[in-house]
Amino acid sequence: MCSQGDEGYRLLKEYANGFMVSQVLFAACELGVFELLAGAPEPLDSAAVSARLGASPRGTELLLDACVSLKLLQADVSGGKAVYANTELASTYLVRGSPRSQRDMLMYTGRTTYVCWGHLAEAVREGRNQYLKAFGIPSEELFSAIYRSEGERLQFMQGLQDMWRLEGARVLAAFDLSPFRVICDLGGDFFKDPLPEADLYILARVLHDWTDAKCSHLLGRLYQACRTGGGILVIESLLDADGRGPLTTVLYSLNMLVQTEGRERTPAQYCALLGPAGFRDVRCRRTGGTYDAVLARK
Ligand code: ASE
C-alpha cells in the first residue's frame, strides 16, 4: 500500500519530469523519426535510423527507446536485435501529411511555445509575455512577436489548423448555425480593417490573445458591423466558473501569459465582455473537447 507521502513524491517527480516527455516528442518530430519509419518497407534497427537521419548512433538509440517507453514506437526483438516501427498513435497523429497529423502544432509548440515557457517565473513576475527574453523580440506589437518570421507564421497557422481538423466539427455542432446565411471567420487586422457585412462573425481563438480593453474595442466594432438579428460565435477553451479548471485550460491561460497579452476566460467573463458591447442572448456551450463555443445575438 502507498502512504500519502509516497503518492505525493510520485506525483512531484511526474510533474518535474513532464518536460522531458515533451522534449522527446518534439525532438523525434523535428528529426523526422516518424516519417522515416512510416516510409520504410520494414521496421529499422537503431543503426539504420541513425544513418538515415544523419544523427549519432548513441543519441538515436536512446531517443528510440524513450519513444518505445512512451508508446510512440514499438520495438520487435524477435530477430535478436531491436527493430523499430511506428505505433498506431504515431502513424495517426505524428506522421507529416496523415489526415489527423498534429506534427505542425508539435513543431510550433517545441520551437516557440516551449522557449517562452522557459521564462514562466519571469512572466508571472512581470505580467507580460516573454518574446524578448526568449527570442530578443520586443513584445509591444503582439502580432510581430507571434509572427517572428513568415516561416513561423505559417508554422503557427498550420499548427492551429492541425487542432481544428480534429476539433472543429464538434465546436461547429454546438449551436444550430443554419439561420445565419453569410458567415465571416475573422482573421488579419480586425482592429483596424473595415469589417465585411455578415450575419454571423466567428472569433476563433482570437479573444484569448487580447486584454479585456482590446476585446471590448473589437466586440464594439463587430456590434456596429453586425446586422440586427445577426450574431457572433466565440470559439475558445472555457475555464470553469471558479477559474481553476479544467487543467488544460488553466495551462492554456498561462500560455497566453507567456505568449500573448490575453488569458482564457470563464463563461461569466465572456458574458461581461459581450453584454456591454451590446450583444444579448449570450449562450455558452461546452463541447467536451479542447474548444468550446459562445453564441450571442445583436
Ligand atoms: C494563440 C494560440 C496558441 C496564441 C498563441 C498560441 C496556441 C499555441 N500558442 O491564439 C495554440 C493552442 N494553444 C492554446 C493555448 O490555445
Side-chain angles (χ1 to χ4, degrees):
M1 212 180 80
C2 255
S3 76
Q4 190 80 32
D6 292 338
E7 171 61 10
Y9 183 55
R10 190 197 58 76
L11 206 56
L12 193 64
K13 282 191 296 179
E14 193 181 301
Y15 294 167
N17 296 339
F19 81 95
M20 298 182 195
V21 174
S22 307
Q23 289 292 33
V24 167
L25 183 58
F26 300 149
C29 283
E30 175 106 34
L31 290 162
V33 169
F34 306 109
E35 286 76 22
L36 175 64
L37 292 174
E42 59 207 19
L44 300 175
D45 66 17
S46 114
V49 174
S50 113
R52 294 196 210 176
L53 294 181
S56 71
R58 174 164 163 262
T60 302
E61 187 184 16
L62 297 179
L63 184 70
L64 294 179
D65 284 332
C67 287
V68 172
S69 205
L70 291 172
K71 303 186 171 70
L72 307 178
L73 297 179
Q74 54 204 24
D76 177 359
V77 290
S78 57
K81 61 175 191 254
V83 288
Y84 299 86
N86 288 333
T87 57
E88 197 180 317
L89 185 164
S91 348
T92 307
Y93 294 108
L94 300 178
V95 176
R96 179 203 307 228
S98 103
R100 298 173 71 79
S101 179
Q102 298 297 297
R103 184 173 192 273
D104 288 310
M105 179 45 85
L106 291 166
M107 296 287 288
Y108 178 78
T109 309
R111 288 175 177 172
T112 303
T113 306
Y114 188 90
V115 183
C116 292
W117 275 79
H119 304 276
L120 177 60
E122 292 148 284
V124 169
R125 204 174 279 130
E126 298 165 5
R128 63 162 176 258
N129 71 61
Q130 295 296 305
Y131 277 96
L132 179 59
K133 271 167 235 133
F135 304 109
I137 296 172
S139 59
E140 286 91 55
E141 189 46 69
L142 180 60
F143 279 125
S144 56
I146 272 210
Y147 305 141
R148 285 184 293 142
S149 64
E150 179 63 10
E152 177 153 328
R153 192 181 67 80
L154 275 174
Q155 186 94 75
F156 179 62
M157 295 298 184
Q158 286 168 348
L160 291 179
Q161 189 56 36
D162 280 353
M163 292 184 81
W164 189 248
R165 270 200 305 275
L166 299 193
E167 311 228 22
R170 81 196 294 167
V171 174
L172 292 181
F175 291 104
D176 175 16
L177 302 179
S178 62
F180 303 106
R181 290 171 49 81
V182 180
I183 298 182
C184 169
D185 180 21
L186 281 158
D189 195 352
F190 31 68
F191 289 113
K192 297 204 186 95
D193 292 348
L195 299 167
E197 260 191 48
D199 302 306
L200 181 74
Y201 296 93
I202 298 183
L203 279 178
R205 298 178 290 201
V206 167
L207 296 182
H208 75 165
D209 288 342
W210 304 102
T211 59
D212 285 357
K214 284 192 189 166
C215 289
S216 295
H217 171 68
L218 176 57
L219 291 174
R221 291 197 78 210
L222 284 172
Y223 187 80
Q224 290 296 316
C226 194
R227 299 197 185 108
T228 304
I232 177 168
L233 181 69
V234 173
I235 297 171
E236 297 287 1
S237 186
L238 287 175
L239 281 169
D240 294 341
D242 68 6
R244 296 187 195 101
L247 176 61
T248 303
T249 311
V250 172
L251 295 175
Y252 278 12
S253 210
L254 280 172
N255 193 46
M256 294 302 104
L257 175 73
V258 301
Q259 280 208 267
T260 72
E261 51 192 62
R263 57 177 305 155
E264 305 301 341
R265 293 179 175 88
T266 65
Q269 289 170 327
Y270 282 112
C271 289
L273 290 173
L274 288 159
F279 291 99
R280 58 183 176 80
D281 296 343
V282 184
R283 288 186 288 158
C284 298
R285 288 261 164 88
R286 288 182 194 276
T287 66
T290 313
Y291 295 108
D292 305 296
V294 181
L295 182 67
R297 308 296 293 258
K298 173 162 178 176

